[in-house]
Amino acid sequence: MVLGKRLRQLREQAGVSFDDAARAIEVTALTVRRMEKAEVGLRIPYVKELLRTYGVSGTEIEGFLSLAREANKPGWWHKFRDVLPEWFSAYVSLESEAAVIRLYEPQYVPGLLQTHDYAAALMRVGFPNESPDDVDRRVALRLRRQDLLVKPEAPAIWAVLDETVLRRPVGGREVMRAQIDRLAEATERPRIRIQIMRFAAGPHPGAYGPFHYFRFGFSELPDIVYTEGLAGAQYVDQPADVVTYLEVLDRMSVQAEPVARTRDILAALRKEL
C-alpha cells in the first residue's frame, strides 16, 4: 500500500498520465491503477521501468526496488493460509505494521491478550465442525500473533473491554482465572492500556459491536478501522468514517473505568472465580 501510493505520487509529480505510464510497461491503464491501489503485486520489471519514466534514477531506483521485493514476500502468516480466511489475512498484516491499535471488545478478550486455553475454548465453539488439528492450527495462529507484543517496535495498544468480557465463562473457572491473570500481567507493560466498561456505566456509544482502529508510522497509510461479522469483515479507511470511530473510542475511554482501576477490578473479579 505504501509503495503503491509512492508510485502514484511520483507519477503525478512527473505529470505522467495513466495511459502514458501503461504504454511505458505495455499494460493497460487499469493495471497501473491497480498497482497504485495495492490490488496487485509489484512486478519488479514494471516498477523499474515506471520509475525511469517518472524521472527517478540511480540509487533511488535500487532503494525502491529493494522495498518492492520485500513487499512481495509473503508474511509469516502465509503458512497458516489453510486456516486463515482471506478476509482476515489483511487484518493480520495491518496488525503487524500498526504503530497504535485501539479497540473495543464487548464479548471476548482480544486475540492479542488471550491465553492458549481461552483461545482453544473459543475456537472449539466457533468452528465446531473442524478437526482437532485444524482447531490447534487456528490457536497456533492466534498465539503467533502475540509475538508482536515483545518486538522492540511493539505497537501501543489501548483496549476498552466490556464487563461482559470478564464475566462470560469461557472454558471453565480455571481457564478464566488464568485469563484474568494474563490481563493483569498485560497492564504492567508500558505500551498496553486496558479499561473496563462496567455495567453500571449504562449505555455507551460503542455498544453495537466490536471494532479495532489502526494507526501506522507511514504517512502514506491512512488510519483504518476493522469491523467483523459472521461471514466476513469490513475495512474502513474513509477519513470521515474513521474519525467517527475514533471519536466513539475517545468518549468510551472517558466513560469507562480509569486505567488505574483496571488491576483492582481484575483482582476482584478473579476472587469471584
Side-chain angles (χ1 to χ4, degrees):
M1 292 174 68
V2 172
L3 294 180
K5 291 200 172 188
R6 289 182 183 175
L7 279 176
R8 185 191 67 190
Q9 291 169 356
L10 289 169
R11 179 182 57 77
E12 291 175 346
Q13 289 170 5
V16 178
S17 68
F18 281 117
D19 290 335
D20 289 339
R23 277 192 289 272
I25 57 175
E26 299 182 358
V27 298
T28 65
L30 178 60
T31 298
V32 176
R33 290 178 184 272
R34 297 186 68 196
M35 290 174 66
E36 294 182 0
K37 291 181 178 180
E39 295 176 350
V40 294
L42 296 176
R43 295 182 60 180
I44 299 303
Y46 286 177
V47 173
K48 190 173 185 178
E49 189 58 38
L50 285 176
L51 292 174
R52 289 173 175 165
T53 302
Y54 302 157
V56 180
S57 60
T59 58
E60 193 174 354
I61 285 183
E62 289 307 314
F64 198 106
L65 294 180
S66 178
L67 293 174
R69 293 186 186 97
E70 189 67 25
N72 285 336
K73 292 179 181 178
W76 61 262
W77 52 90
H78 184 69
K79 66 179 181 180
F80 291 98
R81 60 189 181 279
D82 56 322
V83 293
L84 181 62
E86 184 176 348
W87 52 266
F88 192 67
S89 63
Y91 178 96
V92 180
S93 177
L94 295 173
E95 180 182 74
S96 298
E97 296 296 336
V100 176
I101 302 174
R102 295 184 63 181
L103 59 96
Y104 166 63
E105 282 289 349
Q107 302 293 347
Y108 302 111
V109 172
L112 287 177
L113 303 176
Q114 291 178 8
T115 65
H116 175 280
D117 291 342
Y118 185 96
L122 287 180
M123 292 299 181
R124 285 193 292 268
V125 173
F127 302 93
N129 299 319
E130 291 200 353
S131 68
D133 287 345
D134 283 345
V135 170
D136 288 345
R137 291 274 290 160
R138 291 183 182 277
V139 174
L141 168 62
R142 182 156 296 181
L143 298 183
R144 174 67 176 79
R145 287 167 49 204
Q146 296 178 6
D147 290 350
L148 177 69
L149 302 179
V150 296
K151 292 170 55 178
E153 65 279 16
I157 297 174
W158 187 352
V160 177
L161 310 183
D162 196 278
E163 186 174 345
T164 303
V165 171
L166 305 174
R167 294 192 176 277
R168 183 182 301 281
V170 175
R173 288 178 179 269
E174 289 295 331
V175 172
M176 287 302 298
R177 278 196 287 265
Q179 181 59 73
I180 289 178
D181 288 343
R182 173 66 61 82
L183 290 174
E185 292 168 4
T187 64
E188 298 177 357
R189 294 178 179 268
R191 297 187 64 77
I192 297 179
R193 305 176 71 183
I194 300 173
Q195 290 183 267
I196 310 301
M197 183 70 75
R198 303 302 296 263
F199 293 146
H204 57 82
Y208 52 85
F211 59 93
H212 296 195
Y213 162 92
F214 298 101
R215 174 164 289 174
F216 305 92
F218 305 99
S219 61
E220 294 89 348
L221 277 181
D223 295 350
I224 294 176
V225 170
Y226 168 89
T227 63
E228 184 177 311
L230 287 175
Q234 181 181 12
Y235 295 87
V236 179
D237 63 0
Q238 294 301 308
D241 296 330
V242 172
V243 166
T244 298
Y245 282 96
L246 187 57
E247 288 177 348
V248 166
L249 281 169
D250 287 341
R251 291 167 60 193
M252 291 174 64
S253 68
V254 173
Q255 190 172 349
E257 293 290 326
V259 172
R261 288 268 300 132
T262 298
R263 286 185 64 84
D264 291 340
I265 295 171
L266 293 174
L269 289 169
R270 193 187 190 286
K271 285 183 179 179
E272 294 182 19
L273 294 168

